[in-house]
Amino acid sequence: MLSVLSSLFVVGVVRITFESDQLFYIRLQQLMGLFSLLFWYVALIISPLTYIFGKQKLRHLVYARRAIGVSAAYFAILHLCIALWGQLGGPSELVRLPELIQTSLLLGAVATVVLLVMAATSFDAVVRRMTYSRWKLLHRLTYIAFILVVLHMWMIGTHVTYSLAQIIALSALLLLAGLESYRFLMNLDKKWHFIEGKGGAVLLVAVLLAMWFAVIVSIPRSIDNYHSKHHGGAHGE
Ligand code: HEM
């Protein structure tokens, strides 16, 4: 309910703020894309955080996780519709767009489909029918889709060319990667008992984190951002 009400509020505020329809649609779809990303990030980080703080302390967040995931899907749909029909002129215009933008939209579209499947299977009845282990397997797709959306955002996002946005994105991605690495190692250790004490765990997480850092900072070097390529970055940086 909060997501639906805040989306209506945002439409009103952006309409009042931007007179030109073009700016109204661009700013609105950017905001809806950002909200979808933020809800998705929170939905992803809850599980690994329970390995640090315990499920009991985070029980309200754990309980709300599915609703947070469904909100991510809701804002992704709003983002897609406003971008496609408000900014890009409808599906028939997609063929005229530069290849980099088409590829980015395809990655975004695949991520949207995955988010919708996650949202549609977020009900107890569906989990029971699918069995928990198959449901869990299906919901692992969310990690692949999240990587696709990070690439989507890097390839055509405007604000990702700001240095501050890049520092925030890098820190947030490293935090998530570090926590997921810790959870992964703890689950492996339950089976193989190879980690020597807290020091051993910290060392292994640090190694994995260095690997993730190298992967994340290689994105701008190996994949173009449309605005940097054509306009020398949103601010001529
Ligand atoms: C789960 C799916 C998606 C998420 C979370 C998402 C998120 C985002 C974010 C955060 C940005 C950067 C905005 C900025 O720089 O201010 C962006 C850019 C963009 N997205 Fe998506 N997106 C998704 C799917 C799609 C789809 C399916 C389409 C269209 C068919 C689309 C169209 C666009 C466009 C046109 C931009 C460029 C906006 C600009 O000019 O800065 N996105 N997206």
Side-chain angles (χ1 to χ4, degrees), residues 37 145-155 173 219:
L37 196 74
F146 192 73
I147 293 169
L148 296 183
V149 125
V150 169
L151 297 177
H152 158 78
M153 200 175 66
W154 167 251
M155 291 161 91
L173 289 174
I219 294 175

mmCIF file with all atom_site columns, all heavy atoms in Angstrom, residues 37 145-155 173 219:
data_model
loop_
_atom_site.group_PDB
_atom_site.id
_atom_site.type_symbol
_atom_site.label_atom_id
_atom_site.label_alt_id
_atom_site.label_comp_id
_atom_site.label_asym_id
_atom_site.label_entity_id
_atom_site.label_seq_id
_atom_site.pdbx_PDB_ins_code
_atom_site.Cartn_x
_atom_site.Cartn_y
_atom_site.Cartn_z
_atom_site.occupancy
_atom_site.B_iso_or_equiv
_atom_site.pdbx_formal_charge
_atom_site.auth_seq_id
_atom_site.auth_comp_id
_atom_site.auth_asym_id
_atom_site.auth_atom_id
_atom_site.pdbx_PDB_model_num
ATOM 1   N N   . LEU A 1 37  ? 14.983 -0.354  -7.977  1.00 0.00 ? 37  LEU A N   1
ATOM 2   C CA  . LEU A 1 37  ? 16.331 -0.825  -7.614  1.00 0.00 ? 37  LEU A CA  1
ATOM 3   C C   . LEU A 1 37  ? 16.521 -0.844  -6.098  1.00 0.00 ? 37  LEU A C   1
ATOM 4   O O   . LEU A 1 37  ? 17.062 -1.803  -5.542  1.00 0.00 ? 37  LEU A O   1
ATOM 5   C CB  . LEU A 1 37  ? 17.355 0.109   -8.258  1.00 0.00 ? 37  LEU A CB  1
ATOM 6   C CG  . LEU A 1 37  ? 18.769 -0.387  -8.326  1.00 0.00 ? 37  LEU A CG  1
ATOM 7   C CD1 . LEU A 1 37  ? 18.916 -1.466  -9.383  1.00 0.00 ? 37  LEU A CD1 1
ATOM 8   C CD2 . LEU A 1 37  ? 19.711 0.762   -8.621  1.00 0.00 ? 37  LEU A CD2 1
ATOM 9   N N   . ALA A 1 145 ? 19.235 -11.746 -12.361 1.00 0.00 ? 145 ALA A N   1
ATOM 10  C CA  . ALA A 1 145 ? 18.470 -10.605 -12.868 1.00 0.00 ? 145 ALA A CA  1
ATOM 11  C C   . ALA A 1 145 ? 19.006 -9.289  -12.298 1.00 0.00 ? 145 ALA A C   1
ATOM 12  O O   . ALA A 1 145 ? 19.056 -8.274  -12.998 1.00 0.00 ? 145 ALA A O   1
ATOM 13  C CB  . ALA A 1 145 ? 16.997 -10.770 -12.498 1.00 0.00 ? 145 ALA A CB  1
ATOM 14  N N   . PHE A 1 146 ? 19.460 -9.309  -11.035 1.00 0.00 ? 146 PHE A N   1
ATOM 15  C CA  . PHE A 1 146 ? 19.994 -8.086  -10.429 1.00 0.00 ? 146 PHE A CA  1
ATOM 16  C C   . PHE A 1 146 ? 21.271 -7.639  -11.142 1.00 0.00 ? 146 PHE A C   1
ATOM 17  O O   . PHE A 1 146 ? 21.475 -6.454  -11.388 1.00 0.00 ? 146 PHE A O   1
ATOM 18  C CB  . PHE A 1 146 ? 20.266 -8.295  -8.935  1.00 0.00 ? 146 PHE A CB  1
ATOM 19  C CG  . PHE A 1 146 ? 20.538 -7.020  -8.185  1.00 0.00 ? 146 PHE A CG  1
ATOM 20  C CD1 . PHE A 1 146 ? 19.508 -6.142  -7.908  1.00 0.00 ? 146 PHE A CD1 1
ATOM 21  C CD2 . PHE A 1 146 ? 21.821 -6.683  -7.784  1.00 0.00 ? 146 PHE A CD2 1
ATOM 22  C CE1 . PHE A 1 146 ? 19.743 -4.954  -7.227  1.00 0.00 ? 146 PHE A CE1 1
ATOM 23  C CE2 . PHE A 1 146 ? 22.075 -5.494  -7.105  1.00 0.00 ? 146 PHE A CE2 1
ATOM 24  C CZ  . PHE A 1 146 ? 21.033 -4.629  -6.831  1.00 0.00 ? 146 PHE A CZ  1
ATOM 25  N N   . ILE A 1 147 ? 22.102 -8.625  -11.519 1.00 0.00 ? 147 ILE A N   1
ATOM 26  C CA  . ILE A 1 147 ? 23.328 -8.298  -12.272 1.00 0.00 ? 147 ILE A CA  1
ATOM 27  C C   . ILE A 1 147 ? 22.941 -7.685  -13.625 1.00 0.00 ? 147 ILE A C   1
ATOM 28  O O   . ILE A 1 147 ? 23.516 -6.674  -14.045 1.00 0.00 ? 147 ILE A O   1
ATOM 29  C CB  . ILE A 1 147 ? 24.193 -9.567  -12.456 1.00 0.00 ? 147 ILE A CB  1
ATOM 30  C CG1 . ILE A 1 147 ? 24.742 -10.031 -11.095 1.00 0.00 ? 147 ILE A CG1 1
ATOM 31  C CG2 . ILE A 1 147 ? 25.335 -9.327  -13.445 1.00 0.00 ? 147 ILE A CG2 1
ATOM 32  C CD1 . ILE A 1 147 ? 25.390 -11.404 -11.103 1.00 0.00 ? 147 ILE A CD1 1
ATOM 33  N N   . LEU A 1 148 ? 21.891 -8.249  -14.277 1.00 0.00 ? 148 LEU A N   1
ATOM 34  C CA  . LEU A 1 148 ? 21.445 -7.703  -15.567 1.00 0.00 ? 148 LEU A CA  1
ATOM 35  C C   . LEU A 1 148 ? 20.987 -6.248  -15.410 1.00 0.00 ? 148 LEU A C   1
ATOM 36  O O   . LEU A 1 148 ? 21.276 -5.397  -16.251 1.00 0.00 ? 148 LEU A O   1
ATOM 37  C CB  . LEU A 1 148 ? 20.296 -8.540  -16.127 1.00 0.00 ? 148 LEU A CB  1
ATOM 38  C CG  . LEU A 1 148 ? 20.583 -10.003 -16.491 1.00 0.00 ? 148 LEU A CG  1
ATOM 39  C CD1 . LEU A 1 148 ? 19.336 -10.643 -17.098 1.00 0.00 ? 148 LEU A CD1 1
ATOM 40  C CD2 . LEU A 1 148 ? 21.762 -10.096 -17.443 1.00 0.00 ? 148 LEU A CD2 1
ATOM 41  N N   . VAL A 1 149 ? 20.316 -5.942  -14.294 1.00 0.00 ? 149 VAL A N   1
ATOM 42  C CA  . VAL A 1 149 ? 19.802 -4.579  -14.106 1.00 0.00 ? 149 VAL A CA  1
ATOM 43  C C   . VAL A 1 149 ? 20.933 -3.600  -13.789 1.00 0.00 ? 149 VAL A C   1
ATOM 44  O O   . VAL A 1 149 ? 20.880 -2.440  -14.213 1.00 0.00 ? 149 VAL A O   1
ATOM 45  C CB  . VAL A 1 149 ? 18.692 -4.551  -13.029 1.00 0.00 ? 149 VAL A CB  1
ATOM 46  C CG1 . VAL A 1 149 ? 18.958 -3.587  -11.933 1.00 0.00 ? 149 VAL A CG1 1
ATOM 47  C CG2 . VAL A 1 149 ? 17.394 -4.188  -13.652 1.00 0.00 ? 149 VAL A CG2 1
ATOM 48  N N   . VAL A 1 150 ? 21.967 -4.091  -13.105 1.00 0.00 ? 150 VAL A N   1
ATOM 49  C CA  . VAL A 1 150 ? 23.129 -3.219  -12.846 1.00 0.00 ? 150 VAL A CA  1
ATOM 50  C C   . VAL A 1 150 ? 23.776 -2.860  -14.190 1.00 0.00 ? 150 VAL A C   1
ATOM 51  O O   . VAL A 1 150 ? 24.107 -1.696  -14.435 1.00 0.00 ? 150 VAL A O   1
ATOM 52  C CB  . VAL A 1 150 ? 24.140 -3.919  -11.907 1.00 0.00 ? 150 VAL A CB  1
ATOM 53  C CG1 . VAL A 1 150 ? 25.457 -3.164  -11.852 1.00 0.00 ? 150 VAL A CG1 1
ATOM 54  C CG2 . VAL A 1 150 ? 23.543 -4.054  -10.506 1.00 0.00 ? 150 VAL A CG2 1
ATOM 55  N N   . LEU A 1 151 ? 23.888 -3.846  -15.087 1.00 0.00 ? 151 LEU A N   1
ATOM 56  C CA  . LEU A 1 151 ? 24.455 -3.579  -16.421 1.00 0.00 ? 151 LEU A CA  1
ATOM 57  C C   . LEU A 1 151 ? 23.527 -2.667  -17.220 1.00 0.00 ? 151 LEU A C   1
ATOM 58  O O   . LEU A 1 151 ? 23.984 -1.725  -17.879 1.00 0.00 ? 151 LEU A O   1
ATOM 59  C CB  . LEU A 1 151 ? 24.687 -4.897  -17.166 1.00 0.00 ? 151 LEU A CB  1
ATOM 60  C CG  . LEU A 1 151 ? 25.708 -5.861  -16.526 1.00 0.00 ? 151 LEU A CG  1
ATOM 61  C CD1 . LEU A 1 151 ? 25.793 -7.158  -17.323 1.00 0.00 ? 151 LEU A CD1 1
ATOM 62  C CD2 . LEU A 1 151 ? 27.073 -5.202  -16.403 1.00 0.00 ? 151 LEU A CD2 1
ATOM 63  N N   . HIS A 1 152 ? 22.196 -2.911  -17.134 1.00 0.00 ? 152 HIS A N   1
ATOM 64  C CA  . HIS A 1 152 ? 21.196 -2.067  -17.807 1.00 0.00 ? 152 HIS A CA  1
ATOM 65  C C   . HIS A 1 152 ? 21.372 -0.617  -17.373 1.00 0.00 ? 152 HIS A C   1
ATOM 66  O O   . HIS A 1 152 ? 21.469 0.304   -18.185 1.00 0.00 ? 152 HIS A O   1
ATOM 67  C CB  . HIS A 1 152 ? 19.796 -2.571  -17.459 1.00 0.00 ? 152 HIS A CB  1
ATOM 68  C CG  . HIS A 1 152 ? 18.693 -1.568  -17.607 1.00 0.00 ? 152 HIS A CG  1
ATOM 69  N ND1 . HIS A 1 152 ? 18.158 -1.218  -18.818 1.00 0.00 ? 152 HIS A ND1 1
ATOM 70  C CD2 . HIS A 1 152 ? 18.037 -0.818  -16.687 1.00 0.00 ? 152 HIS A CD2 1
ATOM 71  C CE1 . HIS A 1 152 ? 17.207 -0.317  -18.633 1.00 0.00 ? 152 HIS A CE1 1
ATOM 72  N NE2 . HIS A 1 152 ? 17.109 -0.049  -17.362 1.00 0.00 ? 152 HIS A NE2 1
ATOM 73  N N   . MET A 1 153 ? 21.452 -0.439  -16.064 1.00 0.00 ? 153 MET A N   1
ATOM 74  C CA  . MET A 1 153 ? 21.562 0.905   -15.496 1.00 0.00 ? 153 MET A CA  1
ATOM 75  C C   . MET A 1 153 ? 22.878 1.571   -15.929 1.00 0.00 ? 153 MET A C   1
ATOM 76  O O   . MET A 1 153 ? 22.901 2.740   -16.295 1.00 0.00 ? 153 MET A O   1
ATOM 77  C CB  . MET A 1 153 ? 21.527 0.756   -13.974 1.00 0.00 ? 153 MET A CB  1
ATOM 78  C CG  . MET A 1 153 ? 21.165 1.970   -13.228 1.00 0.00 ? 153 MET A CG  1
ATOM 79  S SD  . MET A 1 153 ? 21.030 1.590   -11.476 1.00 0.00 ? 153 MET A SD  1
ATOM 80  C CE  . MET A 1 153 ? 22.706 1.180   -11.070 1.00 0.00 ? 153 MET A CE  1
ATOM 81  N N   . TRP A 1 154 ? 23.980 0.805   -15.927 1.00 0.00 ? 154 TRP A N   1
ATOM 82  C CA  . TRP A 1 154 ? 25.274 1.386   -16.314 1.00 0.00 ? 154 TRP A CA  1
ATOM 83  C C   . TRP A 1 154 ? 25.245 1.793   -17.794 1.00 0.00 ? 154 TRP A C   1
ATOM 84  O O   . TRP A 1 154 ? 25.736 2.849   -18.172 1.00 0.00 ? 154 TRP A O   1
ATOM 85  C CB  . TRP A 1 154 ? 26.427 0.407   -16.063 1.00 0.00 ? 154 TRP A CB  1
ATOM 86  C CG  . TRP A 1 154 ? 27.664 0.873   -16.746 1.00 0.00 ? 154 TRP A CG  1
ATOM 87  C CD1 . TRP A 1 154 ? 28.255 0.322   -17.842 1.00 0.00 ? 154 TRP A CD1 1
ATOM 88  C CD2 . TRP A 1 154 ? 28.400 2.073   -16.480 1.00 0.00 ? 154 TRP A CD2 1
ATOM 89  N NE1 . TRP A 1 154 ? 29.314 1.080   -18.253 1.00 0.00 ? 154 TRP A NE1 1
ATOM 90  C CE2 . TRP A 1 154 ? 29.430 2.167   -17.427 1.00 0.00 ? 154 TRP A CE2 1
ATOM 91  C CE3 . TRP A 1 154 ? 28.280 3.073   -15.508 1.00 0.00 ? 154 TRP A CE3 1
ATOM 92  C CZ2 . TRP A 1 154 ? 30.345 3.209   -17.446 1.00 0.00 ? 154 TRP A CZ2 1
ATOM 93  C CZ3 . TRP A 1 154 ? 29.186 4.121   -15.540 1.00 0.00 ? 154 TRP A CZ3 1
ATOM 94  C CH2 . TRP A 1 154 ? 30.198 4.185   -16.496 1.00 0.00 ? 154 TRP A CH2 1
ATOM 95  N N   . MET A 1 155 ? 24.636 0.967   -18.661 1.00 0.00 ? 155 MET A N   1
ATOM 96  C CA  . MET A 1 155 ? 24.682 1.217   -20.113 1.00 0.00 ? 155 MET A CA  1
ATOM 97  C C   . MET A 1 155 ? 23.890 2.451   -20.529 1.00 0.00 ? 155 MET A C   1
ATOM 98  O O   . MET A 1 155 ? 24.333 3.208   -21.395 1.00 0.00 ? 155 MET A O   1
ATOM 99  C CB  . MET A 1 155 ? 24.167 -0.008  -20.870 1.00 0.00 ? 155 MET A CB  1
ATOM 100 C CG  . MET A 1 155 ? 25.110 -1.200  -20.777 1.00 0.00 ? 155 MET A CG  1
ATOM 101 S SD  . MET A 1 155 ? 24.294 -2.739  -21.169 1.00 0.00 ? 155 MET A SD  1
ATOM 102 C CE  . MET A 1 155 ? 24.593 -2.824  -22.928 1.00 0.00 ? 155 MET A CE  1
ATOM 103 N N   . LEU A 1 173 ? 27.128 -2.116  -3.756  1.00 0.00 ? 173 LEU A N   1
ATOM 104 C CA  . LEU A 1 173 ? 27.346 -3.426  -4.377  1.00 0.00 ? 173 LEU A CA  1
ATOM 105 C C   . LEU A 1 173 ? 28.384 -4.233  -3.596  1.00 0.00 ? 173 LEU A C   1
ATOM 106 O O   . LEU A 1 173 ? 28.224 -5.442  -3.393  1.00 0.00 ? 173 LEU A O   1
ATOM 107 C CB  . LEU A 1 173 ? 27.780 -3.250  -5.842  1.00 0.00 ? 173 LEU A CB  1
ATOM 108 C CG  . LEU A 1 173 ? 26.703 -2.772  -6.809  1.00 0.00 ? 173 LEU A CG  1
ATOM 109 C CD1 . LEU A 1 173 ? 27.292 -2.496  -8.187  1.00 0.00 ? 173 LEU A CD1 1
ATOM 110 C CD2 . LEU A 1 173 ? 25.575 -3.800  -6.914  1.00 0.00 ? 173 LEU A CD2 1
ATOM 111 N N   . ILE A 1 219 ? 33.549 -3.037  -14.943 1.00 0.00 ? 219 ILE A N   1
ATOM 112 C CA  . ILE A 1 219 ? 32.356 -2.780  -15.773 1.00 0.00 ? 219 ILE A CA  1
ATOM 113 C C   . ILE A 1 219 ? 32.535 -1.510  -16.633 1.00 0.00 ? 219 ILE A C   1
ATOM 114 O O   . ILE A 1 219 ? 32.420 -1.574  -17.858 1.00 0.00 ? 219 ILE A O   1
ATOM 115 C CB  . ILE A 1 219 ? 31.077 -2.717  -14.912 1.00 0.00 ? 219 ILE A CB  1
ATOM 116 C CG1 . ILE A 1 219 ? 30.778 -4.088  -14.286 1.00 0.00 ? 219 ILE A CG1 1
ATOM 117 C CG2 . ILE A 1 219 ? 29.876 -2.237  -15.737 1.00 0.00 ? 219 ILE A CG2 1
ATOM 118 C CD1 . ILE A 1 219 ? 29.598 -4.102  -13.321 1.00 0.00 ? 219 ILE A CD1 1
#
